[in-house]
C-alpha cells in the first residue's frame, strides 16, 4: 500500500492519516466546501473537493469518492466512522474497483447492520441473547401477546439503524399498541425500514462493548472491554477501559462471546461487539459495529495496540502481529467526548467560532481533534469538537487526571459538554462504579452545573479579593521599602 484515501473528515481522518504517515503511506483527503481549510485537508498529501457542505452532496457520494480514488492511483480507502463506514454497497463497489477497503466484507456489514439478521447469525455460536423474538413482527395483537409472555417491561426496537431511533420501552400492556406504531413510524422515517422486534427490557443496564480485530486468515482477537454507560439521548459521552465492574471470569466469557460473533459473520478488520450487562452479572448480545469506533483510543492505550496500523496490515493480507495471550491490560484509560452542545439546555447543539481553543497537556493526555483556534464549528455535521483521552496507572489516577485535563482545556465561542463531563467524573456514582445507562436521568439536572459555577465564582471572588488586598499591601510595602532605599542611596552619596 502506497496511497490511502480517507473517506471522512475531522479528527478520525487525521487520526488515520497520522498512522499512515508513520508507515510511509501517502494520504488523500476528501472535503466539502465547508471543510476547505480543515486540518485534515491541510495535513494530507493530496485533497479532493467533493461538493457543497451537506453530507449527501459531499461525504456520502460513494461513486465520486471511488472515481477520484481511481484517478489519483489510490491503493486503499479507509471509511473512518459514520458516513459510508457501514455501507455494504460502498464496501462492495470499492472492492470491485480493485481498491482495498479497510473494513469488513459487504456480507458481514449487511448481516451485522440488521439486528435480526445478526441475532440469527450468532444463534448457533452460543452467544447469549436477550429473551424475546428474533424476527420482525408487524401484527400488533401477536406482538402484544408475546410481550405479555416475556413479561413487562419490554423493548420495541427497530431492526435497522441505531442511536435510539425506532426504540420504545413499554411498561404496561395498555400502552403497547401506541408505542409499537410510534416505533414503526420512527424506524421507517429514519432508516426506510419499519421492521421492529420485541425483547425483554433489561432494567438498569450497563453498556459494555468488546473491541475486536480479525485478519484474513481466520485469526480473531479481542482487546478487552470498554464501559460506555454514560450516555445522553442513547449517545455515549464518557467511555473507559477497562470496566470497573467486570470480574476476570466475566471479562473472559464476554471476550470469547465477542470473538464468536465475529466468527459467525466471517469478520475482517476492526469491529466492536456491544453487550447489555445487568445487575445480576449476566450479559446479552446487543449488536456489532462493523467499523472503528469513536472510543477506540481507550482500548489502544490499555493494550499498546495501534488499531489503524493493524487495519492497514490486515488489508495488505498480513496476519495479526499478536495473539490473544500476548495482550494484557495496562492501567486505566478514560475518554470524554467534547461536543459543541449546551449541557444546561438538554445538550442542544451549539455552533460558532472557536475564539479560544487551547488543548490540555502533560503526562498521559491525548487529544484527538480536527479543529483549531479561530475555526468555525460547522452546522452540517456531528457537533463533536474533540475526544479528550487520559491514561494512568489505575482508575482513581485516571479520573483525577481527567479532571485536571478538563480544567486545563480552554474553549470559548461555543458551549461544550466539558462541564457535564467534569460533573460526571466527580460524581460519587461514577467514582464508585455504581452507575448504568440511566446515569443522566438519575443523577444529572442542568441547575447542578449552575450551582457548581456559583460556588466556583464565590471562590474566584474571594481569591480575587485576597489577591487585590495582597497587591495593595505589597505596593505599600514596596513604597515604604523604596523610600527607605532612596534615603539609603542619598546617605551613600553624601
Amino acid at each position: 500500500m502506497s496511497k490511502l484515501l480517507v473517506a471522512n473528515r475531522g479528527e478520525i481522518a487525521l487520526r488515520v492519516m497520522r498512522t499512515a504517515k508513520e508507515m510511509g503511506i501517502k494520504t488523500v483527503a476528501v472535503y466539502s466546501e465547508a471543510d476547505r481549510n480543515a486540518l485534515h485537508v491541510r495535513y494530507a498529501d493530496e485533497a479532493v473537493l467533493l461538493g457543497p457542505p451537506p453530507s449527501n452532496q459531499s461525504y456520502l457520494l460513494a461513486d465520486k469518492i471511488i472515481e477520484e480514488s481511481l484517478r489519483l492511483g489510490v491503493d486503499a480507502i479507509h471509511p473512518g466512522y459514520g458516513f459510508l463506514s457501514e455501507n455494504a454497497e460502498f464496501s462492495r463497489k470499492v472492492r470491485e474497483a480493485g481498491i482495498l477497503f479497510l473494513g469488513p466484507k459487504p456480507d458481514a456489514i449487511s448481516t451485522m447492520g440488521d439486528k435480526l439478521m445478526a441475532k440469527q447469525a450468532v444463534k448457533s455460536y452460543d452467544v447469549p441473547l436477550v429473551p424475546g423474538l428474533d424476527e420482525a413482527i408487524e401484527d400488533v395483537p401477536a406482538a402484544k401477546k408475546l410481550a405479555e409472555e416475556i413479561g413487562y417491561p419490554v423493548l420495541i426496537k427497530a431492526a435497522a439503524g441505531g442511536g435510539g431511533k425506532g426504540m420504545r420501552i413499554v411498561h404496561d400492556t395498555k400502552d403497547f399498541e401506541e408505542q409499537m406504531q410510534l416505533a414503526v413510524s420512527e424506524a421507517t422515517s429514519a432508516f426506510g425500514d419499519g421492521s421492529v422486534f420485541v425483547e425483554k427490557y433489561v432494567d438498569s443496564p450497563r453498556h459494555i462493548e468488546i473491541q475486536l480485530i480479525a485478519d484474513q486468515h481466520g485469526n480473531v482477537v479481542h482487546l478487552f472491554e470498554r464501559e460506555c454507560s454514560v450516555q445522553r439521548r442513547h449517545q455515549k459521552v464518557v467511555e473507559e477501559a477497562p470496566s470497573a465492574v467486570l470480574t476476570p471470569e466475566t471479562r473472559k466469557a464476554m471476550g470469547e462471546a465477542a470473538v464468536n460473533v465475529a466468527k459467525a459473520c466471517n469478520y475482517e478488520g476492526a469491529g466492536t461487539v456491544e453487550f447489555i450487562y445487568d445487575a445480576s452479572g449476566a450479559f446479552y448480545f446487543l449488536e456489532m459495529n462493523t467499523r472503528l469506533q469513536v472510543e477506540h483510543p481507550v482500548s489502544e492505550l490499555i493494550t499498546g495496540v495501534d488499531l489503524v496500523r493493524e487495519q492497514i496490515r490486515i488489508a495488505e493480507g498480513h496476519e495479526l502481529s499478536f495473539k490473544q495471550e500476548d495482550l494484557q491490560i495496562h492501567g486505566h484509560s478514560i475518554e470524554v467526548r467534547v461536543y459543541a452542545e449546551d449541557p444546561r439546555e438538554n445538550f442542544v447543539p451549539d455552533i460558532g467560532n472557536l475564539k479560544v481553543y487551547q488543548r490540555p497537556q502533560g503526562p498521559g493526555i491525548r487529544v484527538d481533534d480536527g479543529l483549531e483556534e479561530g475555526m468555525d464549528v460547522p452546522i452540517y455535521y456531528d457537533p463533536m469538537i474533540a475526544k479528550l483521552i487520559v491514561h494512568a496507572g489505575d482508575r482513581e489516577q485516571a479520573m483525577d487526571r481527567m479532571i485536571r485535563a478538563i480544567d486545563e482545556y480552554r474553549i470559548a465561542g461555543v458551549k461544550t459538554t466539558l462541564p457535564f463531563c467534569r460533573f460526571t467524573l466527580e460524581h460519587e456514582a461514577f467514582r464508585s462504579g455504581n452507575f448504568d445507562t440511566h446515569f443522566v436521568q438519575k443523577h444529572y439536572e442542568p441547575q447542578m452545573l449552575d450551582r457548581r459555577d456559583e460556588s466556583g465564582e464565590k471562590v474566584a471572588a474571594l481569591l480575587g479579593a485576597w489577591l487585590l488586598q495582597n497587591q495593595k499591601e505589597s505596593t505599600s510595602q514596596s513604597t515604604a521599602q523604596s523610600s527607605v532605599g532612596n534615603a539609603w542611596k542619598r546617605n551613600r552619596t553624601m
Side-chain angles (χ1 to χ4, degrees):
M1 190 184 301
S2 61
K3 188 182 285 191
L4 171 68
L5 181 144
V6 184
N8 217 294
R9 64 180 296 276
E11 67 85 12
I12 188 59
L14 276 169
R15 188 265 168 276
V16 172
M17 289 175 186
R18 286 179 174 131
T19 288
K21 188 171 186 176
E22 291 175 10
M23 298 176 74
I25 300 169
K26 292 187 179 300
T27 57
V28 179
V30 294
Y31 65 97
S32 71
E33 290 170 357
D35 283 337
R36 189 178 294 275
N37 297 314
L39 292 183
H40 77 280
V41 177
R42 302 191 333 241
Y43 187 87
D45 296 292
E46 298 175 83
V48 176
L49 174 64
L50 293 176
S55 56
N56 63 352
Q57 299 176 47
S58 52
Y59 293 105
L60 292 175
L61 297 179
D63 290 338
K64 183 165 186 177
I65 290 170
I66 294 170
E67 178 187 324
E68 293 293 343
S69 297
L70 292 170
R71 181 178 68 84
L72 294 171
V74 165
D75 303 305
I77 293 177
H78 194 301
Y81 56 74
F83 293 134
L84 296 166
S85 63
E86 293 181 284
N87 186 308
E89 185 67 7
F90 181 58
S91 171
R92 182 184 64 77
K93 286 183 175 182
V94 169
R95 294 167 190 272
E96 288 178 350
I99 301 170
L100 298 174
F101 183 75
L102 271 68
K105 293 176 180 177
D107 287 348
I109 296 175
S110 296
T111 298
M112 291 299 154
D114 185 302
K115 294 179 178 65
L116 291 177
M117 287 178 64
K119 281 190 169 192
Q120 293 288 346
V122 306
K123 249 184 173 182
S124 58
Y125 281 80
D126 199 29
V127 176
L129 300 172
V130 179
L133 193 66
D134 52 9
E135 59 185 41
I137 189 165
E138 296 179 0
D139 185 278
V140 176
K144 200 171 183 178
K145 182 180 178 184
L146 173 68
E148 290 169 355
E149 290 173 0
I150 296 171
Y152 287 95
V154 298
L155 186 64
I156 302 172
K157 203 171 185 181
K165 294 182 175 65
M167 188 185 298
R168 288 291 185 279
I169 301 167
V170 187
H171 294 274
D172 195 282
T173 185
K174 66 178 172 36
D175 301 319
F176 186 88
E177 187 170 342
E178 179 188 1
Q179 293 301 314
M180 182 169 172
Q181 289 172 349
L182 287 170
V184 170
S185 175
E186 189 174 353
T188 303
S189 175
F191 315 119
D193 182 354
S195 302
V196 299
F197 59 100
V198 180
E199 64 184 22
K200 179 70 178 173
Y201 176 68
V202 178
D203 196 25
S204 301
R206 295 178 81 112
H207 183 128
I208 296 179
E209 58 191 31
I210 302 288
Q211 174 68 58
L212 293 172
I213 193 83
D215 62 25
Q216 299 177 31
H217 306 278
N219 301 306
V220 187
V221 170
H222 71 81
L223 283 76
F224 311 110
E225 82 278 3
R226 295 188 289 255
E227 172 81 60
C228 306
S229 297
V230 179
Q231 306 176 3
R232 53 92 179 94
R233 297 195 299 272
H234 301 284
Q235 295 288 338
K236 305 162 192 172
V237 186
V238 180
E239 300 107 344
E240 61 179 317
S243 168
V245 295
L246 290 198
T247 63
E249 295 76 21
T250 303
R251 177 173 293 119
K252 183 173 184 293
M254 197 177 280
E256 289 171 352
V259 167
N260 283 335
V261 171
K263 290 178 177 177
C265 64
N266 193 27
Y267 198 79
E268 286 179 15
T272 296
V273 179
E274 301 190 351
F275 294 96
I276 292 174
Y277 179 88
D278 70 16
S280 72
F283 63 89
Y284 306 99
F285 170 67
L286 183 62
E287 63 182 346
M288 184 178 192
N289 291 302
T290 54
R291 54 175 166 80
L292 199 64
Q293 292 276 88
V294 175
E295 60 273 20
H296 76 273
V298 294
S299 295
E300 292 185 322
L301 290 174
I302 66 164
T303 60
V305 173
D306 183 332
L307 286 166
V308 173
R309 181 179 289 269
E310 290 302 319
Q311 284 185 297
I312 291 171
R313 295 184 73 261
I314 288 165
E316 291 176 329
H318 299 291
E319 290 193 34
L320 289 173
S321 61
F322 52 86
K323 295 181 172 22
Q324 188 68 61
E325 54 269 26
D326 297 328
L327 296 177
Q328 292 183 345
I329 296 174
H330 300 285
H332 199 92
S333 182
I334 301 174
E335 173 181 301
V336 302
R337 302 191 191 187
V338 186
Y339 285 107
E341 295 178 348
D342 189 350
R344 292 173 176 80
E345 297 292 338
N346 196 30
F347 299 94
V348 64
D350 194 18
I351 58 170
N353 181 271
L354 292 177
K355 296 175 182 176
V356 176
Y357 187 73
Q358 298 173 7
R359 303 168 183 86
Q361 298 179 22
I365 293 177
R366 168 176 166 179
V367 179
D368 285 14
D369 60 12
L371 294 167
E372 61 185 1
E373 193 168 282
M375 294 180 70
D376 292 327
V377 177
I379 193 174
Y380 307 98
Y381 315 114
D382 184 272
M384 189 170 71
I385 296 172
K387 301 181 316 198
L388 172 59
I389 313 111
V390 301
H391 182 245
D394 58 37
R395 189 170 187 265
E396 187 79 18
Q397 291 175 37
M399 289 188 290
D400 293 341
R401 179 163 288 171
M402 179 59 82
I403 291 171
R404 191 262 294 178
I406 290 172
D407 287 345
E408 289 183 8
Y409 216 142
R410 298 283 182 267
I411 301 177
V414 295
K415 300 285 198 308
T416 78
T417 48
L418 282 173
F420 168 77
C421 294
R422 195 186 201 287
F423 166 85
T424 300
L425 268 291
E426 290 181 322
H427 199 281
E428 187 276 333
F430 185 85
R431 296 193 77 87
S432 67
N434 183 25
F435 61 96
D436 55 41
T437 55
H438 304 309
F439 177 88
V440 171
Q441 297 94 309
K442 288 180 178 178
H443 304 297
Y444 174 70
E445 293 179 8
Q447 58 266 33
M448 292 176 173
L449 295 185
D450 294 329
R451 285 201 293 269
R452 186 182 177 280
D453 286 351
E454 287 168 9
S455 175
E457 286 169 6
K458 287 178 183 175
V459 171
L462 289 170
L463 180 61
W466 181 82
L467 288 171
L468 183 62
Q469 181 61 32
N470 268 9
Q471 188 177 23
K472 287 178 179 176
E473 291 175 1
S474 177
T475 303
S476 300
Q477 189 176 11
S478 296
T479 303
Q481 287 175 344
S482 179
S483 300
V484 171
N486 289 338
W488 181 81
K489 286 178 184 177
R490 285 196 302 272
N491 290 336
R492 288 285 294 166
T493 56
M494 288 175 66

